[in-house]
Amino acid sequence: MKLKQKSHVIFLFWYLIFVCNRVLGASKNGDGGFRLEEKEEHHVKISDFPKGFIFGAASSSYQVEGGYIEDAKSLSNWDVFCHSVGCGKNRENGDVADYHYHLFLKDIEIMHSLGLKAYRFSISWARILPRGKFGEVNIAGIMFYDKIINNLILKGIEPFVTINHYDFPQELEDRFGSWLNGEMQEHFVHLADTCFKYFGDRVKYWATINEPNLFTNFAYKWGIYPPSRCSKFYGNCHTGNSEVEPLIVMHNMLLAHGKAVELYRQKYKLKQAGLLGIVVNCHTFIPLTESLLDIEAAKRAVLDPLIYGEYPLEMLKYIGSDLPSFSIKEKKIVKNSLDFIGINHYSSFYVKDCTNSTCSPIANRPIQGFLDIVVERDGVLIGEPTGMEDTYVVPNGMEKIVNQIKFRYKNKPMFITENGYSSPDLQEKRVNVVLNDVKRVQFHLEYLEFLAKSIRKGADVRGYFIWSLMDSYEWLTGYNLKFGLYYVDRLTLTRIPKLSARWYKSFLIENTTDLVNIKAYA
């Protein structure tokens, strides 16, 4: 998953193309606030989902692997960043993480014991191509992922592979500025080609890039992710342009995705028969009021380029000439370059228009779409806060975001590639309290209930991945946030099942909700 959000205003960049947020209608009484004591017990079962629906769990390379310089792996952008500035409250980093690089067999046994049908993981670019196109393939890195894929399949678990999840060789940044340079497109295609060549005979689900919207926002607008570029108005950076650089980076990522898909379809599709998509961070945006201006503000974020080959009119209207353009050839490359849409969904927010009302200086800018994000209506929070700052439990947001993507993009197949919960202030609680994660179980039950509802209404959703299999390194928050079904002891790296792991196993294997009466475990 993510990081500690600096403030709710960070989410404003969702406007820039990918967040798939659409107008969801206004309600005067608040939308789906989560209060455990006020909820009925939920009885959603695996049998409420279509035959063949894939249930799994997710992770990413930097967050779980460790082994950061083992077996010829080069330093990644995150290795360098966290070593230089320190990440997390205790200047933590991912050098060890969950030691998945050496404990992956035990982790696959855990997945099998839970009854997972799929595991979503990412490839470390620096592990298989330490110097990008400037060097050779690292066979030790290839062998590592070969072992993961083969052992997953041996256990009946589908490998769902993300080609790039934030991390890449630092050399690409040092040489030419990584995603700010169009050259990065070809390096990414080389990475994708390498993955297809070595793993494609066994991998049938590929996500090209994880959350380009989130990465672009944090790395090139607010400057809190590497390479830490931003304007002084937005953050504490030495260099950058928050109004322009995010547009360039996103444009290069779109084209990199499109070119990778084009390569696969021309070179590998006939033999390998895989499906390719992209993963986007999708918050549900709800108009703060019933005014037309607030309703229009909630529309300013879409997936249009990868479906229709064009930037949406909303973007052109507010960004104008700063928005990069596609050539005729590029339009053909990006158009219809999705077999599925991966949705990472955690929270919902209210949206306020800034074109005709008072907003903060940050919100009232073209790159923001002239909209503001608020989390209260009439003094009431949109939902119960979680451990991740400015993230709230709003279960019906799942149904709403799925339905809106269904309607706008003609029911393109979807996967919920991340959905998860971190309790507030876990660092201050005893281990037995962390293990008794009642609210995490309740969170997944409620979100799954609304997902099942959207599927019954015709949404073509084909899978659901819990973030995450185990507590892992959560970017700028280090190891403080805990999303896992398994607790990881930081001293021994022992994986200890939480109540949520017991519930998920019961849900997946026994098709029961025996643990739904979760208050009995408090």
Side-chain angles (χ1 to χ4, degrees):
M1 210 271 157
K2 323 289 155 242
L3 67 161
K4 182 178 180 181
Q5 326 289 23
K6 291 174 70 178
S7 70
H8 69 262
V9 77
I10 278 184
F11 292 105
L12 294 172
F13 190 66
W14 293 174
Y15 157 70
L16 179 64
I17 300 180
F18 269 107
V19 194
C20 14
N21 303 314
R22 292 284 291 154
V23 57
L24 301 177
S27 166
K28 294 181 179 179
N29 300 316
D31 286 79
F34 175 89
R35 296 293 183 272
L36 181 63
E37 68 277 12
E38 296 171 0
K39 290 290 182 181
E40 298 177 358
E41 301 297 354
H42 292 261
H43 300 283
V44 62
K45 296 182 180 181
I46 194 172
S47 56
D48 293 324
F49 292 84
K51 185 177 180 180
F53 190 89
I54 298 173
F55 280 97
S59 72
S60 85
S61 56
Y62 186 74
Q63 294 180 265
V64 299
E65 284 181 6
Y68 82 107
I69 53 172
E70 293 190 42
D71 299 327
K73 177 188 169 293
S74 68
L75 293 178
S76 74
N77 56 328
W78 276 92
D79 292 324
V80 173
F81 179 71
C82 289
H83 287 179
S84 61
V85 304
C87 298
K89 291 182 179 179
N90 302 314
R91 297 181 65 83
E92 297 159 326
N93 56 50
D95 291 1
V96 175
D98 291 330
Y99 215 42
H100 183 68
Y101 189 67
H102 292 283
L103 299 178
F104 67 91
L105 287 176
K106 290 185 178 180
D107 293 334
I108 292 173
E109 285 294 338
I110 286 173
M111 299 176 210
H112 179 64
S113 72
L114 288 178
L116 300 190
K117 296 303 180 185
Y119 174 51
R120 178 180 171 234
F121 64 97
S122 73
I123 303 293
S124 168
W125 195 335
R127 195 176 296 284
I128 68 168
L129 290 169
R131 303 187 63 211
K133 289 183 68 177
F134 299 123
E136 301 299 320
V137 173
N138 180 21
I139 297 302
I142 297 294
M143 290 175 62
F144 169 64
Y145 293 110
D146 263 336
K147 292 174 186 175
I148 288 180
I149 292 167
N150 290 340
N151 280 280
L152 286 172
I153 293 172
L154 186 65
K155 295 295 185 179
I157 302 170
E158 191 81 43
F160 195 113
V161 179
T162 304
I163 296 173
N164 179 235
H165 192 127
Y166 298 171
D167 55 326
F168 54 81
Q170 177 65 25
E171 183 170 349
L172 306 187
E173 179 64 38
D174 295 339
R175 281 218 185 195
F176 58 83
S178 68
W179 287 109
L180 273 174
N181 192 317
E183 188 174 340
M184 191 69 161
Q185 298 174 30
E186 304 312 317
H187 278 266
F188 178 79
V189 173
H190 180 59
L191 168 66
D193 194 12
T194 303
C195 292
F196 301 149
K197 176 183 177 180
Y198 285 98
F199 313 129
D201 59 326
R202 290 150 292 158
V203 175
K204 303 306 175 187
Y205 297 98
W206 295 99
T208 54
I209 302 174
N210 181 74
E211 299 177 329
N213 53 335
L214 196 73
F215 171 77
T216 303
N217 187 15
F218 292 142
Y220 294 91
K221 183 180 179 186
W222 299 101
I224 56 177
Y225 274 12
S228 301
R229 297 180 64 90
C230 64
S231 303
K232 292 295 183 182
F233 185 74
Y234 289 86
N236 185 24
C237 303
H238 295 296
T239 187
N241 186 331
S242 299
E243 302 283 349
V244 175
E245 289 185 357
L247 302 173
I248 297 170
V249 170
M250 181 65 77
H251 192 73
N252 283 327
M253 285 185 159
L254 283 170
L255 287 168
H257 161 87
K259 290 178 179 180
V261 173
E262 181 182 55
L263 170 75
Y264 185 85
R265 290 174 176 172
Q266 292 176 354
K267 187 175 177 181
Y268 297 100
K269 178 74 174 179
L270 187 61
K271 242 185 186 181
Q272 298 182 359
L275 299 175
L276 276 76
I278 200 165
V279 171
V280 292
N281 188 271
C282 295
H283 293 296
T284 301
F285 280 177
I286 302 166
L288 180 63
T289 72
E290 294 179 353
S291 73
L292 290 178
L293 289 172
D294 282 356
I295 291 173
E296 286 300 312
K299 293 181 181 180
R300 298 174 196 157
V302 286
L303 275 160
D304 287 18
L306 300 182
I307 306 294
Y308 304 121
E310 298 276 6
Y311 286 115
L313 293 177
E314 292 95 338
M315 289 191 69
L316 290 170
K317 176 181 178 181
Y318 290 103
I319 296 177
S321 61
D322 284 336
L323 187 65
S325 60
F326 295 114
S327 67
I328 294 175
K329 181 180 179 181
E330 289 171 341
K331 288 180 182 179
K332 292 180 180 178
I333 290 172
V334 299
K335 185 177 181 180
N336 294 322
S337 60
L338 292 175
D339 296 319
F340 66 85
I341 300 169
I343 301 169
N344 290 355
H345 177 71
Y346 291 85
S347 189
S348 300
F349 301 92
Y350 295 124
V351 181
K352 175 186 176 184
D353 173 74
C354 297
T355 62
N356 199 40
S357 59
T358 303
C359 290
S360 68
I362 287 288
N364 196 28
R365 304 183 75 84
I367 195 72
Q368 302 289 141
F370 295 106
L371 56 84
D372 205 351
I373 304 302
V374 293
V375 299
E376 291 185 2
R377 176 189 285 162
D378 299 327
V380 179
L381 283 174
I382 194 169
E384 181 174 306
T386 71
M388 187 164 64
E389 186 176 340
D390 291 316
T391 302
Y392 301 85
V393 182
V394 189
N396 64 6
M398 174 67 82
E399 180 189 7
K400 290 179 177 180
I401 195 65
V402 166
N403 287 344
Q404 291 302 321
I405 294 173
K406 165 190 167 184
F407 287 120
R408 185 173 182 104
Y409 301 114
K410 301 177 181 179
N411 211 12
K412 177 72 69 175
M414 293 170 267
F415 288 87
I416 306 303
T417 40
E418 288 182 25
N419 179 235
Y421 175 83
S422 178
S423 300
D425 304 321
L426 281 179
Q427 281 298 98
E428 300 176 8
K429 295 182 179 179
R430 299 184 305 278
V431 172
N432 67 315
V433 177
V434 174
L435 296 179
N436 192 38
D437 56 342
V438 173
K439 287 193 175 182
R440 179 170 290 105
V441 176
Q442 185 76 32
F443 175 96
H444 287 295
L445 283 168
E446 294 201 350
Y447 275 74
L448 282 169
E449 188 169 63
F450 281 103
L451 178 61
K453 187 177 179 182
S454 67
I455 293 171
R456 286 196 297 272
K457 293 180 179 179
D460 188 3
V461 184
R462 301 185 180 185
Y464 175 88
F465 292 81
I466 284 180
W467 186 273
S468 55
L469 176 67
M470 54 192 167
D471 295 338
S472 59
Y473 182 78
E474 289 293 339
W475 310 109
L476 299 187
T477 57
Y479 298 99
N480 288 342
L481 286 182
K482 299 185 183 336
F483 284 90
L485 298 172
Y486 281 74
Y487 171 78
V488 177
D489 185 295
R490 295 311 310 160
L491 294 178
T492 66
L493 298 175
T494 303
R495 284 80 158 125
I496 304 172
K498 301 177 187 177
L499 171 65
S500 56
R502 294 160 55 199
W503 160 74
Y504 205 31
K505 179 177 182 177
S506 176
F507 177 83
L508 295 178
I509 295 178
E510 302 171 22
N511 188 33
T512 70
T513 51
D514 290 342
L515 296 182
V516 71
N517 188 20
I518 56 177
K519 292 177 184 176
Y521 292 85

